[in-house]
């Protein structure tokens, strides 16, 4: 009977860090809309904790307050991952979930998956199969390992299935459903906050956005770009030189802010046309992105959001785990190569740059498809368990 009861347990939905929230919000809504699915418990690991990185996004996305916050906070990868595991294990006893639903590739994704796997609770991974093939990225390790132990893998682009097959994952576990992050984008872009409001609220004058060329948006936080002084210096030089041609708005991640100060690099930005802002809410970010001439980023999500918005994106990395944004979308990989960035920028300013098209199934209905499939899958498991009991 224990197994049968567990199959009726809630869906344990895990969030930990900022990029998880826009993926989980449409899922929680789609799960709640189906009476044939168990209820949801929303568990926040506390990997991100600042109001700017958290509460504001929860409010913008209409995400319910988590049922539980494990409050792990920051630390080394080992410490953070281990601490999440220790704190999540008793939660599994408390809720006896029918499955654990994880999104993306942050430390919280892997840590909760490991706990669930060792307790025999099924894992559902949303945004599975993305690969940068760069194992120096902490996210790549989180992706590969989570996918190995996940029972159901929902993918955002077709190439993901090939990556998973190559790693020996049975195709029967993999479903191509589209992109839940784009569900959130399409849901909220109509309510995006105009860039001028965001700039004025941050204390900048209207003249900052008065350049006829428009403005660019920057986000930068990957360890490979910001954790070493030489790499961060190169990144800042690129941004400074771009800003001579196009004013830039940069909501700065706390990791990057801290490292600019720690490495004594602030002077590189003196006099540059760069509006440094605190981390912004979701609606402010959508307002900035959808009105930008170009985005310069090393984020995964922004490569996808700019493709969906048809805004050119220059990705300051040597690789991407999201090849569809390059092959079909508006994304170009530029690394920290100053000349390459400036020549791509010139092309964007002259001719608009890559226009691209919206990839297959990025249509705002991925979460609905996942909810329907999950309902079928759980019902099948229930039937199988009843047959075994009979
Ligand atoms: C994490 C994810 C990354 C994701 C990013 C989005 C991993 C391995 N990395 O990286 O994939 O793209 O989130 O932001 O999971 N900090 C604060 N306030 C907060 C959270 C963090 O000030 O609310 C500072 C702390 O100094 C912390 C640093 O930012 O040490 C880094 O935070 P952490 O969660 O370790 O990694 P991110 O760089 O945010």
């Amino acid at each position: 009977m224990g197994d049968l009861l567990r199959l009726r347990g809630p869906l344990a939905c895990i969030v930990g860090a900022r990029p998880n929230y826009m993926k989980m919000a449409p899922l929680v809504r789609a799960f709640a809309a189906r009476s044939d699915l168990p209820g949801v418990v929303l568990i926040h690991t506390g990997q991100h904790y600042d109001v700017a990185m958290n509460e504001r996004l929860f409010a913008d996305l209409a995400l319910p307050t988590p049922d539980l916050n494990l409050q792990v906070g920051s630390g080394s990868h080992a410490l953070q991952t281990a601490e999440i595991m220790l704190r999540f294990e008793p939660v599994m006893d408390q809720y006896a979930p029918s499955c654990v639903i994880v999104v993306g590739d942050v430390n919280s994704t892997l840590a909760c998956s490991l706990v669930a796997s060792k307790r025999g609770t099924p894992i559902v991974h949303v945004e599975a199969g993305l690969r940068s093939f760069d194992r120096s990225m902490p996210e790549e390790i989180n992706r590969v390992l989570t996918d190995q132990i996940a029972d159901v893998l929902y993918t955002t682009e077709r190439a993901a299935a090939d990556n998973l097959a190559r790693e020996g994952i049975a195709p029967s576990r993999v479903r191509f459903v589209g992109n839940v992050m784009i569900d959130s984008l399409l849901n909220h872009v109509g309510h995006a906050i105009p860039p001028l409001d965001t700039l004025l609220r941050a204390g900048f004058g209207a003249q900052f956005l008065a350049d006829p060329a428009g403005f660019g948006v920057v986000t930068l936080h990957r360890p490979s770009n910001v954790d070493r002084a030489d790499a961060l210096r190169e990144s800042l030089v690129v941004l400074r030189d771009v800003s001579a041609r196009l004013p830039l708005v940069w909501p700065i991640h706390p990791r990057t802010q801290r490292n600019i100060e720690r490495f004594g690099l602030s002077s590189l930005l003196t006099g540059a046309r760069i509006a440094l802002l605190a981390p912004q809410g979701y609606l402010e970010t959508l307002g900035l992105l959808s009105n930008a001439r170009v985005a310069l980023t090393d984020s995964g999500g922004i490569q996808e959001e700019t493709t969906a918005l048809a805004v050119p994106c220059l990705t300051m990395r040597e690789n991407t785990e999201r090849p569809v944004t390059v092959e079909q979308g508006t994304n170009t990989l530029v690394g920290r190569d100053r000349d390459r960035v400036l020549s791509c920028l010139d092309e964007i300013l002259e001719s608009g740059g890559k226009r691209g098209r919206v990839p297959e199934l990025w249509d705002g209905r991925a979460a609905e498809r996942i909810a329907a499939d999950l309902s079928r899958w759980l019902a099948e498991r229930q039937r199988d368990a009843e047959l075994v009991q009979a």
Side-chain angles (χ1 to χ4, degrees):
M1 197 60 199
D3 274 358
L4 272 178
L5 272 181
R6 205 172 55 179
L7 285 168
R8 296 189 196 107
L11 307 173
C13 294
I14 311 297
V15 291
R18 187 166 60 173
N20 294 161
Y21 312 148
M22 30 294 222
K23 296 169 194 167
M24 195 54 86
L27 288 170
V28 167
R29 250 194 306 280
F31 295 156
R34 291 191 71 106
S35 57
D36 55 357
L37 278 176
V40 163
V41 282
L42 183 61
I43 296 157
H44 197 313
T45 64
Q47 178 173 346
H48 282 175
Y49 41 84
D50 283 349
V51 171
M53 306 283 277
N54 252 314
E55 280 88 340
R56 274 179 70 184
L57 287 123
F58 267 68
D60 290 348
L61 289 157
L63 251 175
T65 306
D67 295 277
L68 204 62
N69 190 318
L70 306 180
Q71 298 186 327
V72 293
S74 302
S76 69
H77 288 278
L79 194 114
Q80 194 171 59
T81 308
E83 198 61 48
I84 296 169
M85 290 180 71
L86 283 173
R87 296 186 192 198
F88 183 54
E89 189 163 48
V91 175
M92 296 287 287
D93 292 326
Q94 186 182 343
Y95 288 108
S98 52
C99 57
V100 170
I101 302 188
V102 294
V103 295
D105 54 18
V106 301
N107 287 343
S108 303
T109 309
L110 175 62
C112 293
S113 299
L114 282 170
V115 173
S117 157
K118 297 208 171 190
R119 298 179 60 102
T121 301
I123 300 158
V124 174
H125 187 202
V126 176
E127 200 189 84
L130 297 181
R131 295 291 180 269
S132 65
F133 304 101
D134 173 3
R135 293 214 171 176
S136 69
M137 281 180 83
E139 292 81 3
E140 182 76 352
I141 303 300
N142 293 342
R143 290 179 200 119
V144 169
L145 298 181
T146 302
D147 286 341
Q148 275 299 323
I149 55 178
D151 296 80
V152 184
L153 298 95
Y154 292 117
T155 64
T156 54
E157 53 178 278
R158 288 206 180 267
D162 302 333
N163 297 335
L164 294 169
R166 230 178 290 117
E167 291 171 14
I169 292 165
S172 58
R173 284 156 60 195
V174 181
R175 289 97 153 119
F176 172 48
V177 288
N179 193 327
V180 286
M181 192 170 229
I182 304 308
D183 291 7
S184 273
L185 181 143
L186 296 175
N187 228 331
H188 291 91
V189 71
H191 308 287
I193 294 177
L196 186 58
D197 293 3
T198 301
L199 267 286
L200 291 177
R201 217 175 297 145
F204 290 87
Q207 77 282 357
F208 194 87
L209 295 184
D211 191 308
F215 68 94
V217 175
V218 179
T219 79
L220 210 66
H221 71 281
R222 292 266 157 247
S224 58
N225 277 332
V226 308
D227 278 5
R228 282 191 353 252
D230 57 337
L232 185 52
R233 173 186 294 278
E234 277 176 28
S235 305
L236 296 182
V237 166
V238 168
L239 297 177
R240 183 196 62 195
D241 292 353
V242 167
S243 83
R245 304 183 189 185
L246 184 71
L248 296 176
V249 181
W250 183 4
I252 193 160
H253 189 285
R255 174 193 280 275
T256 312
Q257 174 83 56
R258 195 188 55 201
N259 287 345
I260 291 177
E261 286 156 22
R262 184 158 67 103
F263 299 138
L265 297 173
S266 310
S267 59
L268 280 174
L269 298 178
T270 310
R273 284 196 301 168
I274 301 180
L276 279 180
L277 311 184
Q280 293 296 306
Y282 187 57
L283 298 178
E284 285 88 350
T285 305
L286 283 187
L288 289 170
L289 282 179
S290 55
N291 288 285
R293 204 64 201 277
V294 61
L296 289 119
T297 191
D298 58 9
S299 145
I302 286 178
Q303 296 172 55
E304 296 183 339
E305 288 164 339
T306 45
T307 275
L309 291 165
V311 169
C313 181
L314 301 181
T315 295
M316 295 177 67
R317 289 173 46 188
E318 302 299 334
N319 54 54
T320 179
E321 59 288 331
R322 293 162 160 91
V324 77
T325 61
V326 174
E327 288 153 15
Q328 298 180 25
T330 57
N331 193 13
T332 307
L333 299 181
V334 291
R336 292 188 299 271
D337 180 338
R338 178 186 169 280
D339 294 343
R340 179 146 167 71
V341 173
L342 291 178
S343 89
C344 288
L345 178 73
D346 284 344
E347 205 227 308
I348 291 165
L349 293 178
E350 277 157 28
S351 70
K354 268 172 101 168
R355 284 188 180 75
R357 64 183 153 92
V358 178
E360 191 182 359
L361 297 188
W362 291 21
D363 59 358
R365 306 191 61 182
E368 262 174 59
R369 284 189 281 272
I370 290 173
D373 184 77
L374 194 60
S375 160
R376 257 192 315 273
W377 185 75
L378 284 171
E380 264 166 39
R381 279 176 60 82
Q382 174 100 20
R383 263 195 309 276
D384 292 349
E386 280 165 1
L387 281 176
V388 170
Q389 295 271 321

